[in-house]
Amino acid sequence: MTDTKRKLRSEAWFGGEGKNAFMHRSWMKNQGIPADAFDGRPVIGICNTWSELTPCNAHLRALADHVKRGVYEAGGLPLEFPVMSLGESNMRPTAMLFRNLVSMDVEESIRGNPIDGVILLVGCDKTTPALLMGAASCNLPTITVSGGPMLNGKFRGQDIGSGTHVWKFAEEVKAGRMPVADFLAAEQGQSRSAGSCMTMGTASTMASMVEALGIGMPDNAAIPAVDSRRGVLAQMAGRQIVELVRRDVKISDILTRQAFENAIRVNGAIGGSTNAVLHLIAIANRVGVDLSLEDWDRLGRDVPTIVDLMPSGRFLMEDFYYAGGLAAVMASLDEVGLLHRDVMTVSDKTIGALIDGAPNYNREVIRPLSEPLTEQGGISILRGNLAPNGAVIKPSAATPGLMQHRGKAVVFENIEHYYARIDDPELDIDASSVMVLKNCGPRGYPGMAEVGNMPLPAKLLKQGVSDMVRISDARMSGTAYGTVVLHVAPEAAAGGVLALVHDGDLIELDVAGRRLELLVSDEELAIRRRDWKPPAPPEGGYQSLYVERVLQADKGCDFDFLVGRRDAGIPRHSH
C-alpha cells in the first residue's frame, strides 16, 4: 500500500467505481496485473527508445527490467512504453531531422496516459534531448537513465574510439597510408560491446549533461553499458522516481537556470560536443528557462578542458569512469567557484553534496586545472557578417595555429557538390584555403546533418596537411575534430550571408575576438542577393512541416509551436 496522501494523476483513470475506471482497469488486467496494483500507488512510465535499428540503444530492454525492479521495490507500478528511436549510425538523412518529432511523441504519450512520473531511457545522442524536451513540456517528476558507453575500442594493440578513428582511418586510406583491408579489419574492434560511442561524442556529452543538470543519478555519464553498475544505477533510479512522485518534485524543480549554467561549464571541462549547444537551448526553452548563445560564450569561454578524451585528447569513456567520472571533474570546477553548489538533483542531494570529496584516480585522464588540455575549452560563439546570429567552434578539438586565420573560400553548394568536387585533382585548394559547405542546415538538408567535418581532399592529405578551416551551417559529429565552424545562423537555405559566398572570397576567422567575417563589400553582397533563389521546399509529409516551422540553430532548432511548457493536466475522457 502506498503512503501517498495527495491524489495522484493516474487515479483519474484507475480510481473509483464508475464505467471509465472499470474500463481502464479491466483492459490493463489482461496483462496479468493484480487488482491491488490500482490502489492509488504511483504509476511510473518507462519511456524506452530501445530498437535493434539503433545499435547504441539495443540493450535498453534489459535496462528497463532493472528500472522496473526498483519501481516495484519502492511501491510503484512500472509501465513501459515505446517511442520512436533515433540512431545517427543508420538513420537517414539525419536523426536530427526527427528529434522534434520524437519530442512530440514523448510529450503526447505522457500527457495522454495514466502516468505520475517518468523514467527516460536514452542512449544514442538525439534520444536524450528528444525525450527531455517532451518530458519538460509535460513537467512531471522525471529521471533520465542513459544506456552508457561501449567498452574501449581495440585494434592491433591500440585503443581506438568510435567515430574518431573512422575519420582518422578514412583519411589515412585516402592518403594512401592505410590499406583498405586494415581499415575494414578495424570495424569489429571499434564496436565490441553494447552501448553508445565511447569517445566524448554527442552521446557521452549528453549523458554528462544529464548528470551535470541533476536530472540523472550520480555516475550516469560514464559507467560502461555492460558494467553491472549500470544496472544498479537503473534500479536506484526506479526506486527514486517513486519518491519524487510522492513528494511532487517536477522536472522544472530540477532543470533550473543554475542547473543549465552548471552544465555549460561542465561541457567546457569535458571537451563536450558542439551539438550540446543546440540541445540544451531547446531543452531549456521547453522548461521555461531562457538560454542563449551568449550564455554559452559568457559562461564557458574561460573554462579549461581537463578531460583528456578523444576526439580532443587521448583516452576513452571507460578510462574516464575508472578515473573518477564526472563527479571528479565537477569537484575540480567547484574548487575554483565555477559551480552552483546548491542546485538540487533527482537524487535528493545538491550538486555540492554529491561531489564533495570526489576522488580523481588518474590525473592523466582527468587533469588538474593547472595543467589543462586546453586553456579555454568552452564552446566559442562567433559573430560577424557571415554569421550575424552566431556560429560555434570547439577550441579543444581545433588546431591552435588556425584559430586566427584568413584564407580564400572554396565553396561547396551542398553535400553532393562537396563529394563530386573534393577530390577533383584540378580543384584550386591549398592548406590556407577555407572550405565552405552550404545548404546543410535545419532547412537546407533538411535536418542539419553531421556533415560539417568535411574530410580534406586527398591531394592535401598526401602532402601531410591534417587540418584546415572549415565553415558550414551543418552540424558535426561529436566524435569528429578539427578547426570547424558550425551552426552558422541564419543558414544558407534561409537566406543567410553564407548563401552568397563565392569561390575566392576572403574569409577571416578570429576565435579570440569571436569574429567570423566575409571580406566582401555590402554593395557586392546586395548584387549577389538579387540573384539568389531559395531552395525548393520538400513536397509534403513530415519534412514539409519541419522546413516550415523549424527555428534556426541559435534558437535550438525546435519547432516554433513546441517552445514552452504545457504541463500534463487530465485530458477529457475517451468514452
Side-chain angles (χ1 to χ4, degrees):
M1 294 292 290
T2 179
D3 58 3
T4 306
K5 294 180 180 174
R6 65 183 182 86
K7 188 174 181 179
L8 296 177
R9 185 173 179 272
S10 58
E11 291 184 56
W13 279 260
F14 298 137
E17 299 175 352
K19 168 179 65 70
N20 284 298
F22 176 101
M23 286 193 298
H24 292 308
R25 290 192 302 260
S26 177
W27 281 116
M28 291 299 290
K29 287 177 178 179
N30 80 352
Q31 300 176 69
I33 300 174
D36 61 3
F38 305 104
D39 60 3
R41 69 187 64 191
V43 175
I44 305 302
I46 302 174
C47 182
N48 200 342
T49 53
W50 169 85
S51 171
E52 290 180 339
L53 288 169
T54 306
C56 302
N57 297 25
H59 64 300
L60 294 187
R61 276 293 303 108
L63 204 60
D65 290 336
H66 289 276
V67 174
K68 289 178 182 178
R69 190 179 305 160
V71 172
Y72 281 127
E73 288 170 344
L77 174 62
L79 297 174
E80 184 180 353
F81 65 98
V83 292
M84 183 180 181
S85 187
L86 302 178
E88 278 290 2
S89 54
N90 284 331
M91 187 163 277
R92 296 184 181 184
T94 170
M96 184 64 176
L97 177 65
F98 305 105
R99 184 199 66 177
N100 299 345
L101 178 63
V102 173
S103 79
M104 295 166 69
D105 185 356
V106 172
E107 178 179 349
E108 302 306 334
S109 293
I110 292 172
R111 183 177 294 112
N113 281 292
I115 292 172
D116 300 309
V118 64
I119 293 280
L120 308 176
L121 282 182
V122 299
C124 197
D125 48 24
K126 307 309 173 295
T127 59
T128 302
L131 269 58
L132 276 169
M133 288 161 68
S137 289
C138 289
N139 200 29
L140 292 179
T142 302
I143 297 177
T144 304
V145 175
S146 301
M150 292 185 280
L151 297 177
N152 288 1
K154 299 286 185 180
F155 179 64
R156 297 182 179 174
Q158 65 171 316
D159 282 358
I160 60 172
S162 50
T164 299
H165 274 83
V166 172
W167 319 126
K168 286 183 178 179
F169 288 164
E171 291 193 345
E172 289 291 292
V173 171
K174 283 181 69 175
R177 293 189 290 266
M178 185 178 195
V180 173
D182 288 357
F183 177 66
L184 297 177
E187 283 182 17
Q188 191 70 55
Q190 179 184 271
S191 304
R192 63 190 190 93
S193 81
S196 53
C197 290
M198 84 297 282
T199 50
M200 190 53 78
T202 308
S204 291
T205 297
M206 291 309 297
S208 298
M209 295 297 93
V210 164
E211 186 174 340
L213 287 165
I215 199 66
M217 302 296 284
D219 288 329
N220 180 79
I223 301 174
V226 295
D227 191 309
S228 62
R229 287 166 286 195
R230 180 63 63 177
V232 173
L233 181 149
Q235 188 169 340
M236 295 301 104
R239 294 180 186 176
Q240 187 62 17
I241 190 62
V242 176
E243 178 62 22
L244 295 185
V245 170
R246 287 178 172 146
R247 294 194 290 106
D248 198 26
V249 179
K250 297 183 175 69
I251 192 171
S252 61
D253 297 320
I254 305 298
L255 297 184
T256 62
R257 171 79 192 186
Q258 290 73 28
F260 283 101
E261 291 186 356
N262 282 348
I264 288 172
R265 285 176 165 147
V266 168
N267 190 75
I270 64 175
S273 167
T274 51
N275 289 298
V277 178
L278 299 168
H279 299 324
L280 260 64
I281 288 175
I283 295 164
N285 289 344
R286 287 291 189 98
V287 83
V289 173
D290 183 17
L291 198 69
S292 68
L293 291 182
E294 284 70 26
D295 293 317
W296 274 91
D297 199 64
R298 176 177 59 85
L299 295 164
R301 68 183 299 168
D302 293 325
V303 176
T305 297
I306 59 174
V307 178
D308 194 345
L309 253 67
M310 299 179 198
S312 300
R314 299 172 291 165
F315 298 99
L316 295 165
M317 288 298 292
E318 191 179 351
D319 308 307
F320 182 44
Y321 177 55
Y322 303 148
L326 200 70
V329 175
M330 296 181 75
S332 291
L333 294 179
D334 184 47
E335 288 175 5
V336 292
L338 289 179
L339 289 183
H340 299 289
R341 289 179 49 84
D342 58 350
V343 167
M344 187 54 65
T345 74
V346 293
S347 69
D348 286 338
K349 295 182 179 179
T350 63
I351 284 290
L354 288 176
I355 65 175
D356 277 343
N360 180 350
Y361 298 110
N362 189 331
R363 290 183 174 269
E364 279 194 84
V365 178
I366 304 173
R367 297 184 177 207
L369 284 168
S370 58
E371 300 175 22
L373 188 69
T374 304
E375 289 283 354
Q376 291 187 318
I379 302 296
S380 296
I381 305 301
L382 311 174
R383 293 188 186 274
N385 69 339
L386 191 51
N389 293 347
V392 306
I393 188 170
K394 179 179 174 180
S396 65
T399 300
L402 292 175
M403 300 286 271
Q404 190 164 18
H405 183 79
R406 179 185 290 194
K408 291 183 178 180
V410 177
V411 177
F412 308 95
E413 294 297 328
N414 52 45
I415 192 62
E416 289 77 20
H417 187 217
Y418 164 82
Y419 283 121
R421 192 182 190 208
I422 189 62
D423 286 324
D424 181 349
E426 301 303 315
L427 181 64
D428 184 12
I429 189 170
D430 59 34
S432 69
S433 300
V434 175
M435 297 167 62
V436 177
L437 176 61
K438 305 177 183 178
N439 294 302
C440 294
R443 295 186 193 176
Y445 207 73
M448 203 179 182
E450 292 184 344
V451 296
N453 56 302
M454 291 180 275
L456 309 188
K459 67 179 182 181
L460 294 186
L461 290 169
K462 290 175 181 177
Q463 295 169 17
V465 177
S466 60
D467 194 11
M468 294 172 62
V469 174
R470 287 158 275 179
I471 299 171
S472 181
D473 48 13
R475 295 181 301 111
M476 182 172 75
S477 169
T479 67
Y481 52 90
T483 310
V484 189
V485 178
L486 300 158
H487 309 183
V488 171
E491 63 175 304
V497 174
L498 187 70
L500 310 179
V501 181
H502 288 181
D503 277 337
D505 288 347
L506 279 177
I507 293 176
E508 187 168 66
L509 169 67
D510 179 5
V511 176
R514 298 302 196 258
R515 292 175 52 250
L516 182 64
E517 296 285 343
L518 176 64
L519 303 182
V520 173
S521 70
D522 291 343
E523 293 76 14
E524 172 62 20
L525 291 177
I527 293 170
R528 293 181 187 181
R529 186 168 293 284
R530 288 199 294 269
D531 295 331
W532 177 79
K533 294 180 181 179
E539 295 183 3
Y542 170 72
Q543 289 193 18
S544 179
L545 170 69
Y546 185 94
V547 168
E548 180 182 343
R549 304 304 292 269
V550 72
L551 298 170
Q552 287 294 288
D554 60 305
K555 301 297 183 183
C557 298
D558 202 356
F559 287 153
D560 54 7
F561 60 88
L562 291 179
V563 174
R565 246 177 52 202
R566 288 162 286 282
D567 290 350
I570 308 299
R572 289 173 169 172
H573 285 297
S574 54
H575 295 86

